[in-house]
Amino acid sequence: MAEGLRDIPLHRGLDRILIDEETLQARVRELGREISEYYGDRSPLLVGVLTGAFVFMADLARAMAMPLRVEFMAVSSYGQATQTSGVVRILKDLDRPIEGEHVLLVEDIIDSGLTLEYLIDVLQRRNPASLRLVALLRKNKPRSVPARADWVGFEIPDEFVVGYGLDVAGRYRNLPFVAVVKPDAVLGK
């Protein structure tokens, strides 16, 4: 555990830092360059999946050397739980049509793949010119549905993580790193 991590009340429920701030920022800059090269002179529409992807998407957008636009969608399959319910709901939809747009879906983490496949299906039916996916994290585990990604920041073990936009019960999103939550931690108190 990082020095002093146990002494800060905000961090008492965390086991260890999985990806430190410096490593995160370097990889996001690298993804920004790769994605910019891919799109060339096309202006993508970044669609961030709220709320988990907001930090990653902000940093990624700044790392992309091109004109772009941003939109957000909010979906839920977890609620306040740490495991998916299996039911995906759109809580906030896009504000405008995406037909003919080059859409880059920005996701925080690929876990079961259920939410992601649902979103891809919804967006594909809206006839974008192209639809690509970038995910900050992908868990190494069998998925209930296949989840494709065009770019992935990090492959991680099948552990519950928080920080850099990811949360548990709305907490820890503001951490500048990704950390593993203690399995026996009492969170939300």
Side-chain angles (χ1 to χ4, degrees):
M1 181 174 297
E3 185 176 309
L5 190 62
R6 187 180 311 276
D7 301 328
I8 302 169
L10 177 68
H11 301 118
R12 286 193 183 132
L14 303 182
D15 183 44
R16 68 187 186 284
I17 294 174
L18 187 63
I19 306 168
D20 64 62
E21 182 177 6
E22 183 178 319
T23 303
L24 272 170
Q25 292 303 317
R27 181 63 178 133
V28 171
R29 286 189 302 274
E30 184 179 319
L31 286 168
R33 283 190 300 274
E34 291 173 15
I35 293 167
S36 294
E37 287 175 17
Y38 170 80
Y39 280 105
D41 61 355
R42 296 172 287 170
S43 286
L45 171 66
L46 277 61
V47 175
V49 182
L50 293 174
T51 302
F54 83 100
V55 174
F56 172 47
M57 185 165 145
D59 288 347
L60 181 66
R62 287 190 296 261
M64 294 174 66
M66 62 188 359
L68 53 82
R69 293 170 318 285
V70 298
E71 282 271 354
F72 292 96
M73 291 183 80
V75 297
S76 176
S77 68
Y78 285 82
Q80 294 292 316
T82 60
Q83 300 231 346
T84 182
S85 67
V87 177
V88 180
R89 296 180 308 129
I90 294 179
L91 305 175
K92 182 215 176 297
D93 207 340
L94 299 174
D95 293 331
R96 62 187 197 137
I98 62 167
E99 186 171 349
E101 299 274 359
H102 294 284
V103 176
L104 177 62
L105 185 60
V106 182
E107 179 66 287
D108 56 354
I109 189 166
I110 300 172
D111 193 336
S112 70
L114 180 69
T115 303
L116 186 57
E117 286 303 310
Y118 175 81
L119 274 176
I120 288 170
D121 181 58
V122 165
L123 294 174
Q124 284 286 22
R125 287 186 277 131
R126 296 178 184 184
N127 300 315
S130 66
L131 177 59
R132 299 286 180 259
L133 168 70
V134 59
L136 176 64
L137 307 171
R138 180 169 51 198
K139 287 189 179 182
N140 287 323
K141 67 184 246 180
R143 287 175 185 60
S144 53
V145 294
R148 67 168 177 88
D150 299 284
W151 297 274
V152 174
F154 301 91
E155 299 280 345
I156 65 168
D158 186 14
E159 298 180 283
F160 197 87
V161 294
V162 295
Y164 200 66
L166 292 98
D167 77 307
V168 62
R171 300 181 75 179
Y172 302 113
R173 290 189 195 278
N174 60 316
L175 298 175
F177 49 80
V178 173
V180 176
V181 176
K182 288 181 183 177
D184 60 345
V186 178
L187 300 168
K189 293 189 176 185

